[in-house]
Amino acid sequence: MIGYILRRLVSAVLVVIATSMIVFLLFTLGPSDPAQRLCSADRCTEERRALIHQSLGLDKPVVEQYLTWAKGVFVGRDVSYGPGFSVDCPAPCLGISYINKEPVFPTLMERFPATISIALGGFMYLIVGVIIGVLAARRRGTSTDRGLVASTLIISAIPYYLVALLAYLYLVLKWGIFSETSYVPLTEDPIGWAGALALPWLVLTVYFCVTYARFSRGSMIESLSEDYVRTARAMGVSESKVVAKHALRAAVVPVITIFGIDFATLLAGTVFTEAIFGINGIGRTALASITQGDLPIISATVLIGSVFIVIANLLVDIIYSFLDPRVRLS
Amino acid sequence: MTTVDRTMPEPVVAPSSAQQEPFLVVEDLTVQFPTHDGLVQAVTDLSYAVELGETLGIVGESGSGKSVSSMAVLGLHDAKRSRLEGSIRVAGQEIIGASKSTLRRLRGNDVAMIFQDPLTALHPFFTVGNQIVEAYRLHNQVSKKAAWNRAIEMLDLVGIPEPQRRVNDYLHQFSGGMRQRAMIAMALVNNPKLLIADEPTTALDVTVQAQILDLVQTMQKEFGSAVIIITHDLGVIAELADDVLVMYAGRAVEHGPTKEVLTHPEMPYTWGLLGSVADVVSDTSKPLIPIPGTPPSLLNPPSGCPFHPRCTYQDHVEGSRCVSELPLLRPGPRGESHLKRCHIKDPETLYQEELKEEIMG
Amino acid sequence: MSEHVQTSNGHTPLLEVTDLVKHFPVKSTGVVRRTIGQVQALDGVSFTLEKGQALGLVGESGCGKTTTGRVITRLYDPTSGSMKFEGTEIGQLSGRQMMPYRREIQLIFQDPYSSLNPRHTVGKIVGTPLEVHNIVPKKQMIPKVQELLEVVGLNPEHYNRYPSEFSGGQRQRIGIARALALRPKLIVADEPVSALDVSIQAQVINLLQDLQREFGIAFLFIAHDLAIVRHFCPEVAVMYLGKIVEIGSRDQIYNTPHHPYTQALLSASPDVKQAAIGGRRERIRLEGDVPSPINPPSGCRFRTRCWKAQDVCAEKEPPLYEVGGRNVACHFAEPLQVVQVPVVSEGATAVSPT
């Protein structure tokens, strides 16, 4: 068991390091020149640009640049972008923004709670989806079941951003069922926090739960036809316990595995969610920095995103090994 | 289950008849499954009885209805997806149409089942002990600790070494033979009066199969229970069963004491089964005698005798009765206890004089 | 490239297997996966098979019989040892060099459901080997496939159908037609009938025997069913934990088994014809299960379950001794008087005049 987790942990760390290298390479080999953003066009001379390059270390080999950057992640560093212009970037330093010249990491951390709050909706759609899926599996072939399958097809045919946009237009602007609120930190006002997020959560849950419902329906039908479920029935286990204990335990394993993989989609989805519902989270920041060409912020969000995906998958693996002793004990 | 509700003025079941009836009685059982392609006639008009302490072997090929009929004894067919007719009585208690709670009280308690492949028939995510404890506590109001002790005791009884340790193991940590032993331990934990073993050794190696068959026999002697053993292997039947029931296309085609049926078979399908199996003594220069063709579709069973499309002895029956008329399951020339479903007048003479040497070689 | 080795009497057997070994590495579960052991699936197996003959391999799961079949058809590469096909060493040939021998050695699988591609027609399934090896011009493909279907007892007009339209027995016939397409000299049949219903098994066995006679194909017949192996094979090898423990003629193995394991196997297999006549044989009951092939017992691998085991069995691995005509790997090989198979048929004596 410990060996299994340790092995997963090691590979998780390796994945994060590899991602950081790729992100860094894209960043340095990309077509855009940091100096362009750091000195305004009219006053930017060739000389000044070269100076900025030199102080950012862009004239050094890529490997050295990467090592400097990686060292900064752990111990912090001073980032200077020209003589006399130096910003202290404490650990973990992921660079400084080209626009406001502030360290990237604290900026993103400010936005972080809002994004995590939205991502909670992910767990809601997982749970709601599994519950609907189990019910549909029990009522296989009935109109409830067929309705579910049909609605999955319809919903998955519409892009997510359109659903979110329509929900905002109708439920907030036209009918006023939900009030237009901006994000309030949980620690300040829990009710305001939930109120502001109610609509995004609802949209996320409705949109994504059908996929999970359909997926868990299939998984559940399969596990309900397993021999050990028949054995449980033959031993006199009540039907509700057969479903909730014997069948569900096996059925959730593939669903959770998919959720781990799907976590990236959820993170990408927050970009739309934040933009449409006006929530100031990491997604929105990333979106803004793309238009402004603020490379350090883009690469930092990509890196943080990958760390989260890796953590999510690590958690899935651990949950998986708890559910299935064959993984744990082999 | 036979206790009569005292508040009722008159007992519904006359105690005397309930007492005399065998422990399990199946009468005119018909099981059908409606599907998109039509009605699957899985079991038709099946009747048999098993006494306590007795072993009935049900033999047949895939699709013969042998497993479907025994699942019906536990009421395991989904009412929404199947049609059941006839009567199944366990200790006088009617199973067909019985309430869910009645069935639950019965399952795993009075009647227990062992399935073919223990690796799929037990849950991979729960320990072996956990599953035995669950089965025990469903029917006994005992503490968890007492139930665990019972589980250890049962594992010991079925011959699993170090039961205190193995009780905490998962299925995948057991070998094939031990898995089937664990399955048997779970089935026997509530001292069932009827044990149904559905192909209990098909997935096992020969030497392990022998161990398991011995175990089933020992357990039966110990508990005095009735046993139904379902198999496609006539050899297993020959070694274990007191009575044998041969099924074909959802119907009983021959039924009687095992030794009688195997030495004086009266139905061409049974002849065919005996002729198709190789054995370790007969003359190897003679080819096996297969049954031509393939088993019929249960969506559209043949007219008349279900075996007639594959039967090579129809010239022993006058006219085309085999095609037009379903033979009844009736006693043949060898007495009341030996039933066969065949139009042939004197199968005994035909078998003894013409076929025996060829089949039993 | 190929060295022709002839046996002392100047004739070359079709297949000569000597000290064949196949080990599968076992990886550790730690952070770094190291090889921590070997599954000794096959450990020094030797036998010869003559042209047109049939050798049966019997034993329980994990004994190495299936691995033997797969090494001989080069689905697995042997770890060591020699396999000579008509005198040519084929154990180490590259894929390209092996090509002509793949034609000569064909495999019939156990499961007639998973071994046929459900998306290909029967014609395509049976015709593919002909196409791969460029045997038949495109135009003559259909008649050739139809001919093969007819040989295995299928309707030749059905070449355009898919496997799902056939029953288990018919699918196995399709698999046989595919194996026959290249007119092989050797067919490795791995449990060819164990997935079939009893009444269908006999049909397929009879078909295989007819084909063997008609085309002079040699068979390596792998099965756990002792009775079927006896029926099909004049020569039988009994395997246990990656080794042959007894090898000899059908009568030697079945009438006077000398190895305790052979004796136990025979006594454990239920036999309807014996039991029906009341001749239940005295049973030998083996304790426990087959040990792990990763860490097999020292000396004789069967000793942990053997009632005859002495100290010497743990110390010294018994070689194949020649006792009573057959070869048997046991320090205490002798016929077992108690379970000597009683000839119980009333009247008809069951001794085959070979």
Side-chain angles (χ1 to χ4, degrees), chain C residues 193-213:
Chain C
V193 296
S194 62
L196 305 176
D197 269 327
V198 185
S199 72
I200 309 298
Q201 286 190 359
Q203 294 176 2
V204 173
I205 288 292
N206 285 356
L207 170 68
L208 289 176
Q209 273 189 322
D210 291 346
L211 296 174
Q212 182 185 23
R213 246 172 255 133

Side-chain angles (χ1 to χ4, degrees), chain A residues 17 24 33-34 41-42 44 78 86-87 117 170 183 186 195 199 259 277 284 289 313 324:
Chain A
I17 292 173
F24 193 84
D33 181 358
D42 50 338
C44 211
D78 283 335
S86 173
V87 175
S117 303
Y170 280 89
Y183 178 74
L186 175 67
L199 185 58
F259 183 70
F277 297 105
R284 216 172 159 206
S289 59
N313 278 290
D324 189 345

Side-chain angles (χ1 to χ4, degrees), chain B residues 61 106 143 150 169 175 250 262 266 316 351:
Chain B
E61 299 178 273
L106 191 93
S143 69
R150 172 78 178 160
D169 276 0
S175 69
L262 293 182
E266 293 178 341
H316 292 272
Y351 177 74

Side-chain angles (χ1 to χ4, degrees), chain C residues 121-124 142 145-146 149 155-162 166:
Chain C
T121 61
V122 169
K124 170 112 176 129
I142 291 175
V145 166
Q146 287 184 320
L149 291 180
N155 186 340
E157 297 308 312
H158 289 175
Y159 70 92
N160 243 342
R161 297 197 175 180
Y162 290 88
F166 295 87

Side-chain angles (χ1 to χ4, degrees), chain B residues 145-221:
Chain B
K145 183 149 185 0
W148 277 96
N149 287 335
R150 172 78 178 160
I152 293 167
E153 183 195 336
M154 288 310 294
L155 289 182
D156 193 32
L157 191 70
V158 298
I160 288 177
E162 299 178 77
Q164 291 91 341
R165 189 171 67 80
R166 303 310 299 249
V167 77
N168 293 315
D169 276 0
Y170 292 90
L171 201 60
H172 70 272
Q173 294 165 298
F174 275 33
S175 69
M178 292 223 297
R179 285 174 192 147
Q180 198 53 288
R181 283 171 192 270
M183 178 99 216
I184 292 174
M186 181 164 135
L188 295 181
V189 72
N190 296 313
N191 299 332
K193 297 200 183 67
L194 170 63
L195 182 68
I196 302 174
D198 190 351
E199 301 268 11
T201 57
T202 308
L204 303 175
D205 279 321
V206 211
T207 59
V208 181
Q209 163 170 296
Q211 295 170 2
I212 296 296
L213 294 181
D214 283 355
L215 178 64
V216 170
Q217 268 180 319
T218 319
M219 292 291 126
Q220 178 178 27
K221 281 197 193 106

Side-chain angles (χ1 to χ4, degrees), chain B residues 18-33:
Chain B
Q19 231 78 125
Q20 281 161 10
E21 196 175 78
F23 185 75
L24 171 70
V25 178
V26 174
E27 243 172 42
D28 300 326
L29 175 70
T30 295
V31 185
Q32 300 177 327
F33 303 107

Side-chain angles (χ1 to χ4, degrees), chain C residues 317-329:
Chain C
E317 187 184 326
L320 278 167
Y321 297 110
E322 196 180 317
V323 184
R326 94 284 316 278
N327 287 302
V328 53

